[in-house]
Amino acid sequence: MKSRLFSQSAFSFSGKYYRLCECVNPKEPKENGTNPVPRMNGRNRKKWYQFLAARDSEFCAWCGKAGSVKTLIIDHIDNNNRNNDPENYQLLCRSCNTKKNPRRKSKPKTESVEISEPLSSKELIKNEKCEPIFRTWIETQALRWRRLELKDAINSGAEVAGISPATAERYLNKMCSSAGKFRVVMVDGVKFVELKDCWNADGCRT
């Protein structure tokens, strides 16, 4: 019979309490001439809890709080989860279990700085050709219409210069930097691009 079966003599202490798991897979090796103790899992955790409560009483082995007061969990005394000998089991409340087995402090995350890869020679040549076209078109449209909607400026400028919208956005970010001629303004919840010093408060060209 391949599945594990637990005997009804779990709480009989006349013999060894290993009898809790005396029916095991016969193909599994035996340890020290006795049947091996199965690993702790969700299927037999409840049975082991009942066994430990009957053997040691339903109290935390550290602080002595009752299971009716605090939730008790099954703890490996030597902190070796592979050592499933019943002698290595004890009941602890969660707070005592945390004190006994403190979690390792996670290493602080270091801020990652994105470093763009250097442009290839072909990209440099294309950049030298396309960026002036894009800049000239943006400036011409801004002088004509005062403001350009940000998204349309990126997409239309990309179409005119023959570049991707991502490249057009990169160009426009430079143009709208503190050293650039342009700025981004918000009008009625919509972002626009305009020249910094070309229009006065009355909307007239200076």
Side-chain angles (χ1 to χ4, degrees), residues 3 14 38 40 42 56 60 72 114 124 127 143 148 157 172 193 200:
S3 62
S14 57
M40 185 65 59
D56 304 329
C60 173
L72 302 180
E114 185 178 349
L124 286 171
N127 190 63
L143 288 170
L148 299 173
L172 193 57
V193 179
N200 59 25

Side-chain angles (χ1 to χ4, degrees), residues 51-70:
F51 168 75
L52 293 171
R55 186 190 72 179
D56 304 329
S57 298
E58 197 174 1
F59 294 92
C60 173
W62 276 37
C63 68
K65 294 290 179 64
S68 58
V69 178
K70 286 193 171 184

Side-chain angles (χ1 to χ4, degrees), residues 15-35:
K16 291 184 178 180
Y17 47 76
Y18 294 92
R19 292 182 182 276
L20 178 66
C21 54
E22 63 184 4
C23 295
V24 296
N25 188 339
K27 292 185 178 180
E28 291 182 354
K30 294 187 176 182
E31 300 174 358
N32 301 324
T34 62
N35 287 329

